[in-house]
Amino acid sequence: MRVVDTGRLRLEPQTAAHAEAMFAVLGDPALYEHENEPPSSVEWLRARFGRLASRRSADGREQWLNWVIRLPTGELIGYVQATVRPGGGAAIAYVLSSAYWGRGIAQQAVEAMIAELVEHHEVRSLSAVLKRRNVRSLRLLERLGFAPASPGHDGEDRVEPDELVMRRELRVT
Ligand SMILES: CC(C)(COP(=O)(O)OP(=O)(O)OC[C@H]1O[C@@H](n2cnc3c(N)ncnc32)[C@H](O)[C@@H]1OP(=O)(O)O)[C@@H](O)C(=O)NCCC(=O)NCCS
């Protein structure tokens, strides 16, 4: 995994050393309006980031790629992640501190990750699973060129009834 620098944002491969600063970012209650919950302690998060630094699923089949998002000021403001499967499909996810919502930063960060996935991880198609009521996430995916997956074409993504799968095929020249 590489550092991805857009000039305005820096995506750094996530390691246990990011746990303390990310614990503060991930304590933001606004992030959990639709799903999930904040990490229970810095120690828990450090252990998790340590495990994720293997960059692989337990069975070794998938690459698990996580980058934290850093501003030029040095502040960490969220993360982007990709689960890369054999065959070139990747499921993506993203979280941005609510203090920075509404500025196009998430879009920039996810676009930078997608370019990196295409150029360096042989990714050819993308998917994202979201809660249907998560309108911010839906709008972000639409801006990024994703469209709802046709019924029955959820691929390897496991989906609950209140969730939606969005997909984007990448044209690689
Ligand atoms: C999902 C999430 C990352 C979206 O963040 P966001 O700030 O809304 O997304 P963007 O960075 O693309 O910003 C888009 C907004 O900035 C505005 N904007 C301003 N300048 C912009 C620019 N140059 N480019 C794009 N958008 C811009 C857009 O108009 C848009 O506004 P709108 O929300 O009123 O339509 C954020 O809400 C989040 O972290 N949520 C909690 C975690 C979560 O739900 N993750 C997804 C799980 S599936």
Side-chain angles (χ1 to χ4, degrees), residues 94 96 101-107 134 136-137 139-140 143:
Y94 34 78
L96 187 71
W101 290 0
R103 305 190 199 180
I105 295 176
Q107 185 174 347
N134 192 347
R136 275 184 183 278
S137 181
R139 282 202 302 245
L140 169 60
R143 280 194 296 277

Side-chain angles (χ1 to χ4, degrees), residues 21-29 31-32 37-39 45 49 78-79 95:
M22 285 302 289
F23 183 70
V25 174
L26 298 175
D28 176 358
L31 304 180
Y32 308 100
E37 52 191 30
L45 196 61
F49 283 5
Y79 68 81
V95 166

Side-chain angles (χ1 to χ4, degrees), residues 90-149:
I92 64 160
Y94 34 78
V95 166
L96 187 71
S97 168
S98 62
Y100 292 94
W101 290 0
R103 305 190 199 180
I105 295 176
Q107 185 174 347
Q108 249 182 60
V110 177
E111 270 171 352
M113 173 176 71
I114 292 173
E116 180 71 7
L117 292 173
V118 171
E119 284 165 31
H120 296 281
H121 298 277
E122 279 110 47
V123 168
R124 299 292 174 259
S125 69
L126 299 166
S127 63
V129 179
L130 69 156
K131 295 289 176 193
R132 291 175 187 275
R133 57 184 188 277
N134 192 347
V135 174
R136 275 184 183 278
S137 181
L138 180 61
R139 282 202 302 245
L140 169 60
L141 289 165
E142 287 171 343
R143 280 194 296 277
L144 288 164
F146 284 67

